[in-house]
Amino acid sequence: MATGGYRLAIYNFGLHVGSEGDPRVEGFVSREPANFEAASRASGFIGRSGYRGVPGPRSWGRQVFPRFIDGSGFDSAPSSLSLWADIESLMAFSYNGVHADALKHGRNWNIKPSWPPLVLWWVGEHSVPDWQDGAGRLEYLHDHGVSARAFTFKEPFTADGEAYAIDREKVRRIAEENAEGQADLLAHVLALKV
């Protein structure tokens, strides 16, 4: 996909089955550093927001959460915000290797959401989305369905707002390239407790 001056943003949000320190979410917490490292090594990764008060990249604005956190009893929740070169690169990372292992076990750590777990959208080449934009687009996707403003892997759009067919062969090639550079991380993660 020619992105012509655009980058793909992704925001995801979930609610854990317990608070930090709860043994039921230990598997998530222990995998998080490997997931961030795997993303940084992945083809097409541009950058991610950090979290205020946590060592690592700077936060892209004040972290806020979508309204789905209301009534949960939590004042914070697992979420991420990142930028990618294209949808194939993001998909190759998301559904393979270290991150695929986390997805496989996600049902153990997270409550089943009544909202979309993620939202994708295009931003200008020199733009950086903030947490408010991510939370707002997730709510928009939930309220209005898929559109060029807020979409998913199942129904993607180009930066020009046209429906898009994902190049599955490109996803496969990128996933293979990523696997070569992430074998050490995957071996580490597979040895972790769920």
Side-chain angles (χ1 to χ4, degrees), residues 13 15 65-75 77 111 115 139:
F13 168 81
L15 289 172
F65 302 97
R67 68 177 184 267
F68 313 115
I69 197 170
D70 296 346
S72 70
F74 294 107
D75 57 6
I111 66 164
W115 58 87
E139 291 178 355

Side-chain angles (χ1 to χ4, degrees), residues 24-189:
R24 296 177 297 167
V25 297
E26 180 181 329
F28 174 88
V29 173
S30 63
R31 283 168 173 76
E32 192 172 44
N35 269 298
F36 287 149
E37 180 61 24
S40 73
R41 295 182 191 182
S43 177
F45 175 77
I46 294 170
R48 72 172 177 90
S49 176
Y51 307 92
R52 285 195 179 164
V54 177
R58 72 174 179 78
S59 180
W60 296 348
R62 184 177 67 82
Q63 190 175 14
V64 298
F65 302 97
R67 68 177 184 267
F68 313 115
I69 197 170
D70 296 346
S72 70
F74 294 107
D75 57 6
S76 180
S79 57
S80 67
L81 178 62
S82 59
L83 285 171
W84 295 79
D86 54 49
I87 197 163
E88 285 85 3
S89 296
L90 175 57
M91 192 170 219
F93 165 74
S94 297
Y95 296 110
N96 295 281
V98 173
H99 195 265
D101 177 73
L103 289 177
K104 179 174 117 179
H105 299 294
R107 69 184 175 281
N108 300 322
W109 308 320
N110 300 315
I111 66 164
K112 185 174 173 111
S114 59
W115 58 87
L118 63 86
V119 63
L120 308 173
W121 73 99
W122 293 99
V123 298
E125 183 175 22
H126 302 292
S127 298
V128 176
D130 64 19
W131 290 103
Q132 183 67 50
D133 195 19
R137 286 187 190 254
L138 188 72
E139 291 178 355
Y140 185 90
L141 176 63
H142 175 268
D143 296 346
H144 303 284
V146 174
S147 68
R149 176 177 166 74
F151 55 93
T152 65
F153 287 117
K154 288 183 181 177
E155 296 181 71
F157 286 80
T158 66
D160 295 329
E162 301 296 321
Y164 180 70
I166 293 170
D167 182 341
R168 303 288 177 173
E169 180 58 26
K170 182 177 178 183
V171 172
R172 186 193 61 74
R173 283 193 316 269
I174 295 169
E176 287 175 358
E177 291 170 16
N178 289 347
E180 293 173 15
Q182 299 175 9
D184 61 324
L185 292 171
L186 185 57
H188 168 74
V189 163

